[in-house]
Amino acid sequence: MPALSQSTLLFDRLLKIVGPEGVLSAVSDLVVYECDGYTIEKHRPDAVVFPTTTDQVVEIVKLCGECGVPFLPRGAGTSLAGGCLPVGGGVMISLTRMKRILEVNCRDRYAVIEPGVVNLWLTNHLKPQGFHFAPDPSSQGACTIGGNVATNSGGPHTLKYGVTVNHVLGLEIVLPDGRVVRTGGPAEDYPGFDLTGVIVGSEGTFGVVTKIWVRITRNPEAYRTLLGVFETVDDATNTISDIIGAGIIPGALEMLDNLILQAVEAAFHFGFPLDAGAVLIMEVDGLEAGLDADAECIIEIAKENRAREVRRASTEAERLLLWKSRKQAFGAVGRLAPSYCTQDGVVPRTKLPHILRVIQEIGRRYDLRIANVFHAGDGNIHPIVLFDERDAAQVKRVLAASHEILDDCIACGGSVTGEHGIGVEKIDFMPKLFSPDDLAMMIRLRSAFNPEGRCSPAKMLPTAGACIEQSKAGRRAAL
Amino acid sequence: MELWPGDRSMGSTLEIDGFGPLPLVRPGSAAELGEIVRAAASNGSALYPLGGGTKLDLGNPPTRQGNVVDMRALNQVIDFPARDMTVTVQAGMAVASLQEILAHEKLRLPIDVASLRSLTLPARREGAQQSTVGGVLATNESGPRRLGFGTLRDYVIGISVMNDEGREFKAGGRVVKNVAGYDLCKLLVGSLGTLGIITQVTFKLRPLADQHALAAIPCAAESLEELVNRIHGSRTRPVALEALNPSAASVALGQVSLPLPTGHWMVIAGYEGNHTAVEWQVRELAKELGAVTPEVRIGDTAEPLWQALIEFNAWPETKVTFKANLLPSATAAFCAAVDRLAPNTLTKAHAGSGIVVGHLTGDWTRDRTAAFLAVWRELAGKAQGRVIVTRCPWEWKNVINVWGPIGGDAWLMREVKEKFDPHGIFNPGRFYHGI
């Protein structure tokens, strides 16, 4: 952190760049920015700035360079992994005022936007033309596309449509030395390295993205949304594998286990059976023609796997209620316990029955209730550990249980994060997933963009001697 | 001194772009490859990775003496959990062999790869003619289905690479959704072997389609743009949208007995999905087009036509080939301009993706090619795209800039190269911006 006189100088100069409306430096204002959706660790930035143009970002970044202070970009702060945590203080560059949709070109199927555009705004903006932005994280009403780019966000529809990187064509990025680089663009296959592809998911450690060329996707003509009710998680999982094995790629395949069903039913009264082992939301989308054939095939497969019943959402209202139940399941968990903590592991799809048994066993061993609602088609689990954060001993058990679950994901050949990112939360898992040689190459890559490490320090990659002390406590989260 | 622990029984050499002869080494394992890299690093020589040898014309001539590393002995399946719909294979495996293995489980990697025989490499061994997994990754090969299925960057979920110190590193993993660490897979795809030698890769897979069809519509040059726009905006969702100029259509479609009125362009829409969806789309397209009735090939009868469309990009009987990437809406106008200036060019576009491939036929000289290229580059630039020369006589390459003028991000690419390969071991000089 800069010395006081220096920081006064810094604030004055930030004021000159963005004006008094564009800087926060009072402690009472900064408290809001000391964490994101990951609330275990808190670090207060020295200032938060709200640039409205790329030029302002350049000036801010250059100023930070002159003063030798770290900086980091921030979108809506919905990160669940501490991606926006200003470790070591410094200047937080909030991109929320760079929120213009600069161009929409439906013929060439792209849009150019600023990073502060909220995910759902773009999709709403495209609705009249029959297009949408495909990545749809459950936080899409709040999260920004700049943030989606940083974490390579997913969502329920990634099984068929892919994650953020599959929908980003080009970027404008301000590097830590203030140079502005444009990578890619509205066309495909530009010669040279795919820098765009590697900047997506770099969690703000390469620079500040100030403009994004995204691919836009035609809306499906129709949907068939089915709810399969199963006695056991195994039957539900086998159904998933068989559907995909039959050559059908559903738009979404989401699983809810018994515990989460209780909460969701209490909140939304959808009519979920409270005694089911698991339910699957299975949705196929696309052209109207052929959808019924796919739906029939899915129903048959579910029945072969001993589904107690398969219901169809017969109206659009029913379909929307079903999706609301799914997307707001985390909110409903509040009915079960005062606090909860969610994880973001990934396993090969066929290992789902195994990992769910492991989760149950871990829950029993630590005397914790764990609910499951997740993107089953991708093998991306989100176990929700219920607890009471006022009980310190319980909090310790929650963290130990969460880590055991993630360790088992690694043992299954999976990953510790499917869509939330490493941030600061999972930095300790990186050496478990990657060898020193792997990490060394990642450090080499980062040094091409961010050689001095002043942009988003202490994120993603563990650095020798810069180990972060993680205060272990509970947290709330929504995915 | 025993420098190369690999199989040296070939005892052969290879010239790349007139540079060489470069001795071939053939590692039998990743460990042997590691030794080869360390040896090259210690004696300051270069390594030129080789797969099926079908793309050796791509890029600038080599700049330094060294060895060609034939990767084809590393050709094993490491893991194929079919129900997880992923596969992990070594980089030297032929793509055709991979597809065959996947097809047994009704799966595929939905990337179209031309399987033409190597133009440069003598076919001295069984399988020498085949594009390899590592080769198509390095060159980012794609074909007609890219409109519906994307390109290799969308399917590589894990990668292992031999680095400049002869140590293998990996990125990604074996699960389809994973954001742990930087996605080096993206960086390696299309990097032309300049950042390291790909040893192993994990793909996510897609099911084979139940049904597929191609609908071909001949059209006059002046109505090409309108026809392409109509199909683009159709209720149907083609997974491929190809446009062939009259020369390309008569040459490439010669064997598939498609009726082609003289002097006409051919526009071909491809559909995949379940039977109902494919059949509906073919009918719907005909309905939307009204007066023109598409010539439809469905199921097995479409296969030769798909193949012709895929193989076209590697058309052997041409001296010069270029590839343009443009805004899709500019494709028709660009193709028409190429036709006007160089009427004998065989031109085919992935019209839905803005990719145009042209083979120059006839008596082209270096200077004439350079002059035309300058015009096309200007045209492409107006459509936010570029033109690269994917094949030409190597003697021309001191005058013809095959990668074209560099963009504003080229310096950053060089920076990345410097970090990954500071001593310039891997394919030095061959890529964009002399990387």
Side-chain angles (χ1 to χ4, degrees), chain B residues 7 19 49 80 83 91 93 98 100 113 119 143 149 153 196 214 262 267 275 285 390 395 421:
Chain B
D7 166 18
F19 190 93
F80 179 28
R83 280 174 73 85
M93 170 174 268
L98 171 63
E100 215 169 285
V113 175
L119 303 170
F149 294 93
R153 90 198 274 270
L214 287 164
T262 318
V267 174
H275 285 79
L285 182 70
T390 54
E395 297 91 338
D421 183 22

Side-chain angles (χ1 to χ4, degrees), chain A residues 107-108 166 188-190 194 205 218-219 221 242 244 290 294 349-350 415 419 437-438 444, chain B residues 83-85 146 153-154 164 167 170 177-178 182 229 232 234 237 274 323 325 329 384 419:
Chain A
R107 172 61 182 87
D108 290 317
N166 308 112
E188 301 179 11
D189 279 20
Y190 289 100
D194 181 8
T205 61
R218 284 173 82 182
N219 292 342
E221 202 177 77
D242 289 349
I244 295 170
D294 282 353
R349 194 169 44 231
T350 51
S415 174
E419 52 187 13
D437 287 328
D438 306 338
R444 285 201 213 182
Chain B
R83 280 174 73 85
D84 290 327
M85 281 171 63
R146 61 179 289 152
R153 90 198 274 270
D154 301 310
D164 60 319
R167 300 177 74 91
K170 66 173 187 306
K177 203 168 167 191
N178 185 1
Y182 297 129
N229 285 345
H232 197 74
S234 155
R237 309 272 164 116
N274 67 29
K323 173 186 161 185
N325 69 317
S329 60
Q384 310 235 32
K419 299 294 181 195

Side-chain angles (χ1 to χ4, degrees), chain A residues 148-150 152 164-165 168 171 195-203, chain B residues 183:
Chain A
N148 297 161
V149 167
N152 193 14
T164 300
V165 71
V168 175
L171 296 167
L195 296 179
T196 304
V198 81
I199 293 170
V200 175
S202 62
E203 300 193 17
Chain B
D183 192 353

Side-chain angles (χ1 to χ4, degrees), chain A residues 157-308:
Chain A
H157 290 89
T158 62
L159 176 64
K160 181 171 178 181
Y161 294 99
V163 293
T164 300
V165 71
N166 308 112
H167 301 274
V168 175
L169 294 162
L171 296 167
E172 176 186 86
I173 182 169
V174 178
L175 296 173
D177 62 5
R179 279 189 277 191
V180 181
V181 176
R182 178 183 140 180
T183 67
E188 301 179 11
D189 279 20
Y190 289 100
F193 298 136
D194 181 8
L195 296 179
T196 304
V198 81
I199 293 170
V200 175
S202 62
E203 300 193 17
T205 61
F206 287 174
V208 182
V209 168
T210 47
K211 204 187 277 183
I212 307 162
W213 282 258
V214 294
R215 193 189 299 281
I216 57 176
T217 306
R218 284 173 82 182
N219 292 342
E221 202 177 77
Y223 303 89
R224 294 291 181 279
T225 309
L226 305 166
L227 182 74
V229 180
F230 297 87
E231 306 296 339
T232 67
V233 165
D234 283 26
D235 287 343
T237 315
N238 288 332
T239 301
I240 293 165
S241 286
D242 289 349
I243 291 169
I244 295 170
I248 299 170
I249 303 284
L253 269 177
E254 300 281 304
M255 194 191 292
L256 289 78
D257 76 359
N258 181 276
L259 190 51
I260 199 88
L261 280 178
Q262 313 274 351
V264 169
E265 186 55 26
F268 301 107
H269 313 291
F270 181 82
F272 289 113
L274 294 177
D275 58 340
V279 303
L280 277 182
I281 301 174
M282 304 171 284
E283 184 169 275
V284 282
D285 63 14
L287 290 166
E288 177 62 43
L291 267 193
D292 280 326
D294 282 353
E296 288 307 324
C297 182
I298 287 175
I299 292 170
E300 207 167 293
I301 288 168
K303 291 198 167 148
E304 277 166 22
N305 283 292
R306 294 179 289 276
R308 186 197 297 172

Side-chain angles (χ1 to χ4, degrees), chain B residues 198-368:
Chain B
I198 300 170
T199 53
Q200 190 174 301
V201 61
T202 303
F203 293 111
K204 84 175 173 191
L205 304 171
R206 290 267 145 172
L208 282 172
D210 270 1
Q211 184 59 294
H212 57 96
L214 287 164
I217 309 111
C219 80
E222 54 275 14
S223 48
L224 175 69
E225 184 158 340
E226 197 216 327
L227 178 60
V228 168
N229 285 345
R230 280 178 74 182
I231 299 177
H232 197 74
S234 155
R235 263 187 82 191
T236 67
R237 309 272 164 116
V239 297
L241 179 52
E242 304 280 290
L244 291 81
N245 78 348
S247 319
S250 71
V251 171
L253 307 181
Q255 287 92 17
V256 294
S257 60
L258 210 57
L260 179 69
T262 318
H264 275 58
W265 286 66
M266 188 65 94
V267 174
I268 302 177
Y271 297 100
E272 292 195 351
N274 67 29
H275 285 79
T276 320
V278 169
E279 283 149 26
W280 179 85
Q281 291 185 90
V282 167
R283 282 196 311 273
E284 170 68 17
L285 182 70
K287 201 171 89 188
E288 288 179 20
L289 294 177
V292 217
T293 309
E295 179 75 19
V296 174
R297 298 277 187 275
I298 196 155
D300 289 345
T301 65
E303 206 50 60
L305 182 50
W306 278 114
Q307 279 313 314
L309 295 173
I310 293 167
E311 296 299 336
F312 176 87
N313 289 6
W315 190 254
E317 288 146 33
T318 176
K319 201 149 77 170
V320 182
T321 300
F322 69 84
K323 173 186 161 185
N325 69 317
L326 315 157
L327 289 180
S329 60
T331 313
F334 182 86
C335 290
V338 170
D339 249 26
R340 267 198 311 278
L341 290 164
N344 293 325
T345 306
L346 313 181
T347 311
K348 182 167 84 72
H350 303 310
S353 313
I355 306 293
V356 181
V357 172
H359 303 299
L360 304 188
T361 64
D363 190 23
W364 285 84
T365 61
R366 185 194 68 186
D367 293 341
R368 185 159 166 249

